[in-house]
Amino acid sequence: MRLSTHDDASALIRAASELYLDDPVAMTVLSDLDRRLREPLRLALAGMVKAGKSTLLNAMLGEQLAPTDAGECTRVVTWYRYSATPTVTMHPHDGAPRRMPIRRDDGRLVLDLGEVPAEDVAWIDVGWPVTGLRSMILIDTPGIASLSRDVSARSTDFLVPDTEPSSADAIVYLMRHMHASDLKFLESFRDTAAGASQTVNAVAVLSRADEIGSGRIDSLLSAGKVARRYEKDGDLASLSLGVVPVAGLLAESARTLREDEYASFLTLANLERASRERLMVSADRFIRPTELTTLSVDVRRDLLGRFGIFGVRLATALIRGGVADSTQLSEQLVQQSGLNELQQFIREQFRTRGDALKVRGVLDALEALLRDRPRPGTDEIRGGVERIYATAHTLRELSLLSRARAAGLPLSRSDAKDAEQIIGGDGTAAHARLGLPETATPQEMRDRLDEKLVYWRTLSQSPLAERATVEATRVVIRSLEEVASVLASGVAARAADVVASSGPVQGASEGAEEQSDEGEPPLGEQNLTHERPVVAHRDDLQ
Ligand SMILES: Nc1nc2c(ncn2[C@@H]2O[C@H](COP(=O)(O)OP(=O)(O)O)[C@@H](O)[C@H]2O)c(=O)[nH]1
Ligand SMILES: [Mg+2]
């Protein structure tokens, strides 16, 4: 039986461990890599200070856990991973890791470093029993290009270290406006993190999206337009897989909405129109002492702090529009915040490729180790690394996708567009790869698939085709063959995700890959991972 890429990588780590038995430093690196292969995908949140990273992390978890706003603790890289019981561990640069007390203030963790200066702390590891962390490790980072160069350097060193590959598999990059330093960071993340596989694995978030339209009720529409414009920007397009507008604060508060907050919104919604409008004309006005409402200044200030003026206006409008209880309000606010689109994007672009991204990170780190500590036998292992890169289809797909985004493919314009879609540029679901709507029937998909297979096979056999073109067409054809095997398997639900469900392709000459189950959404959820309404599609770029 043919081994999966994941198993191949694991076997290489074992072989390297035999080689470095007498080298404790190398053995530590190798045991970390082995663990990394077994752990969920590592997704880092990066961006400038106050871009809203910690708030968005909480929104993704549905819990107010990460401390927000600047403070000593937010100056250290913090990992959030699943654990049955809460634990917080500080890892100093020198010396043994030590447990920290678990203290919470209003739900948020208080990461008290005690006597230890932030610059002596390598990272903090938080283990927390929250479902969202079962499939992903989330990494909160201090701001890039922050006022303090030290803090900024800590993020940059961690995410794009000079000498070794990044230890994040993928990045959610938050920005309030596009800034030169954002592009510079994304560029260096691509160059370092991509390593030999040259993959693009960043999604940009237009954060604090409610502020873009000054908190007006249509703020997110304006943010959507800005996001689409950014996506068309040549520089950003080559560095990130897409731009998603998200109002993180609204999402965080909506997911932790309390009954008393719902009751306050209900009170506001029931005010007569003139009073309501006067009260909500601005954030300042909303928290002034007034006779217009029975809600106290403190209650209003809390609402404003949690939801922003946009959230207050939106929640009131939604109740007036028929939302009948706190559960519905919470759902609708989350829906409006853009969080669902972001999570869908992460699922489609990162989690379905989770194993490949992980293997890629591990192989890059293994290569760096072999290069730094050469000894007899390392060449063979390096050969093994190269073999995996050459045969693992998902890695080749990722690298072609990245080339498509960065430099363009050696194909005609319309072929390049089609190729990008087939290799998963608009999502890895079978219908998305075939350019069909989610509602396409199996027969429609098979017909479209046959057409495309004939077309691409003819193209690859053209005697005039350049070598680079032929190589690109081979990757495209292999992707189509994987779609074929998914459709042939006839399990409609599984067809939602080609990569996750494809086994070895009959007759294919290359190694097939498996996807571990840990990163996959349940089947019902998979079927939802289709449309990305707020996110501009690549078609818009043409
Ligand atoms: N209006 C608004 N404020 C936000 C949003 N996200 C974060 N903030 C506020 O911006 C400040 C910085 O947020 P934080 O998450 O700590 O940013 P970080 O430094 O990137 O981790 C906090 O006061 C948040 O309440 C948002 O979506 N909308
Ligand atoms: Mg923060």
Side-chain angles (χ1 to χ4, degrees), residues 207-449:
S207 65
R208 305 177 64 159
D210 54 310
E211 292 173 329
I212 286 170
S214 319
R216 282 193 321 271
I217 204 98
D218 63 351
S219 290
L220 280 166
L221 281 179
S222 314
K225 284 186 196 140
V226 176
R228 264 185 285 276
R229 209 172 62 230
Y230 281 2
E231 235 177 12
K232 285 183 201 162
D233 179 283
D235 290 333
L236 191 59
S238 70
L239 298 170
S240 81
L241 292 165
V243 185
V244 191
V246 183
L249 181 67
L250 178 65
E252 181 196 44
S253 304
R255 290 198 66 185
T256 54
L257 178 73
R258 299 189 306 258
E259 282 302 328
D260 62 304
E261 290 170 333
Y262 173 74
S264 302
F265 286 134
L266 194 59
T267 309
L268 291 173
N270 287 332
L271 288 178
E272 57 147 311
R273 181 171 169 183
S275 309
R276 205 174 56 239
E277 285 180 352
R278 268 170 61 204
L279 190 63
M280 292 187 204
V281 75
S282 71
D284 280 348
R285 190 61 165 283
F286 186 66
I287 50 174
R288 264 191 226 158
T290 174
E291 298 293 308
L292 292 171
T293 171
T294 50
L295 294 181
S296 72
V297 169
D298 283 347
V299 166
R300 278 178 276 141
R301 183 169 287 126
D302 284 350
L303 282 184
L304 190 67
R306 288 253 295 154
F307 297 86
I309 191 68
F310 171 73
V312 170
R313 288 172 180 154
L314 184 63
T316 313
L318 285 169
I319 293 175
R320 294 187 58 76
V323 158
D325 59 34
S326 60
T327 311
Q328 268 185 31
L329 182 63
S330 159
E331 277 169 11
Q332 295 262 340
L333 290 174
V334 170
Q335 179 62 40
Q336 298 276 337
S337 73
L339 180 70
N340 293 346
E341 275 81 17
L342 176 65
Q343 294 203 302
Q344 187 173 315
F345 194 97
I346 290 172
R347 220 156 32 219
E348 279 188 6
Q349 296 288 354
F350 299 150
R351 275 174 52 180
T352 57
R353 295 188 171 110
D355 245 16
L357 289 171
K358 245 185 336 188
V359 166
R360 186 223 56 177
V362 166
L363 292 183
D364 284 352
L366 179 61
E367 257 190 335
L369 179 77
L370 299 170
R371 196 179 51 235
D372 292 349
R373 303 171 112 79
R375 54 167 63 191
T378 45
D379 277 354
E380 268 174 35
I381 298 175
R382 197 175 290 144
V385 172
E386 277 163 21
R387 219 163 28 247
I388 297 181
Y389 274 132
T391 54
H393 178 65
T394 317
L395 288 179
R396 292 196 308 169
E397 247 184 9
L398 282 172
S399 112
L400 195 64
L401 198 53
S402 153
R403 206 173 339 141
R405 301 275 156 92
L409 296 176
L411 296 165
S412 74
R413 205 178 146 107
S414 66
D415 287 345
K417 203 172 147 191
D418 194 34
E420 209 178 314
Q421 194 169 56
I422 293 170
I423 59 179
D426 291 341
T428 51
H431 70 85
R433 288 174 183 263
L434 295 171
L436 289 170
E438 192 187 340
T439 48
T441 63
Q443 189 56 47
E444 281 166 340
M445 289 204 265
R446 273 194 294 275
D447 290 348
R448 178 66 69 91
L449 175 71

